[in-house]
Amino acid sequence: MKKLIHIHIGQLHASREPVIIETVLGSCVSVCLYDAVERIGGMNHILLPGEADLKHFDASARYGINAMERLINRIAVLGGDRRRIIAKVFGGAHILPAISHSNGMGRKNTKFVFKFLQMEGIDIINQHVGGHSTRKVLFHTDTGDAFLKTLPNADLNAFLRKELRHWDRVRSMAEESGEITLFN
């Protein structure tokens, strides 16, 4: 049975040994990289596009450029060849309806990853990005297989409608006239 490795925001893992790497994504993006000849794979969990602020470099893998370079380098150290690496990309959902889709972090993360992989000459063989769903990704480092489960999000619009109905009820109750009792 394969060992299960769970990664969080700003983390990555690569392995020559058969393991399953798991993460849960909203607007974050994970890139699964795989060298089929050496059977080495890895995954990262990117929070923000771009690179880390050097004043806060301890969490550098939260940033796209750092997470991608570190994952590629880790695979190379394990014996992988960057010329053979292929990619699968997941995440980048538009989770917060209060932010416009064009300014959403999911879209920015996805755009960054696609541009980075194109510049590095790494082919994307599969992707499941965008939309509004949270995703759980399981990546097998020895086969390159990735399994995806979309998770239900709280229906924010339904929640808002329910809250507004409650507010209207409370307000109408407060406006109703009733008896007043004065205390001396």
Side-chain angles (χ1 to χ4, degrees), residues 31-34 40-42 68 71-72 75 85-87 117 122 139:
V31 179
C32 302
L33 298 179
Y34 182 65
I40 299 170
M68 292 304 302
L71 182 57
I72 291 168
I75 289 171
I85 292 175
I86 55 172
L117 291 170
I122 297 173
F139 179 65

Side-chain angles (χ1 to χ4, degrees), residues 7-12 21-33 42-47 67-68 71 87-93 109-110 113-114 117 124 126-129 135-139 146 148:
I7 62 170
H8 300 280
I9 293 171
Q11 294 182 327
L12 60 90
I21 307 171
E22 170 188 55
T23 198
V24 177
L25 304 163
S27 60
C28 293
V29 171
S30 278
V31 179
C32 302
L33 298 179
M43 181 193 326
N44 57 25
H45 188 134
I46 299 168
L47 174 66
M68 292 304 302
L71 182 57
K88 296 179 180 182
V89 182
F90 303 96
N109 284 333
T110 304
V113 165
F114 287 163
L117 291 170
I124 300 170
N126 208 337
Q127 62 180 301
H128 194 274
V129 297
R135 297 165 171 91
K136 180 177 184 176
V137 180
L138 297 155
F139 179 65
L148 172 80

Side-chain angles (χ1 to χ4, degrees), residues 7-122:
I7 62 170
H8 300 280
I9 293 171
Q11 294 182 327
L12 60 90
H13 187 81
S15 179
R16 175 179 276 288
E17 301 302 316
V19 299
I20 301 169
I21 307 171
E22 170 188 55
T23 198
V24 177
L25 304 163
S27 60
C28 293
V29 171
S30 278
V31 179
C32 302
L33 298 179
Y34 182 65
D35 177 339
V37 172
E38 294 296 327
R39 298 174 60 95
I40 299 170
M43 181 193 326
N44 57 25
H45 188 134
I46 299 168
L47 174 66
L48 298 167
E51 58 186 293
D53 177 351
L54 293 177
K55 295 176 186 173
H56 303 96
F57 204 73
D58 61 327
S60 65
R62 291 181 182 188
Y63 297 86
I65 191 77
N66 305 87
M68 292 304 302
E69 287 295 337
R70 286 180 60 195
L71 182 57
I72 291 168
N73 290 340
R74 181 70 183 132
I75 289 171
V77 166
L78 293 171
D81 186 334
R82 84 184 286 140
R83 295 171 296 186
R84 290 191 302 253
I85 292 175
I86 55 172
K88 296 179 180 182
V89 182
F90 303 96
H94 186 71
I95 301 296
L96 301 173
I99 299 173
S100 72
H101 188 267
S102 60
N103 286 327
M105 196 51 63
R107 181 181 173 111
K108 291 177 182 179
N109 284 333
T110 304
K111 184 178 177 182
F112 165 80
V113 165
F114 287 163
K115 184 177 180 182
F116 179 92
L117 291 170
Q118 180 184 24
M119 287 175 38
E120 291 295 318
I122 297 173

Side-chain angles (χ1 to χ4, degrees), residues 133-146:
S133 295
T134 303
R135 297 165 171 91
K136 180 177 184 176
V137 180
L138 297 155
F139 179 65
H140 293 253
T141 60
D142 58 325
T143 63
D145 291 331

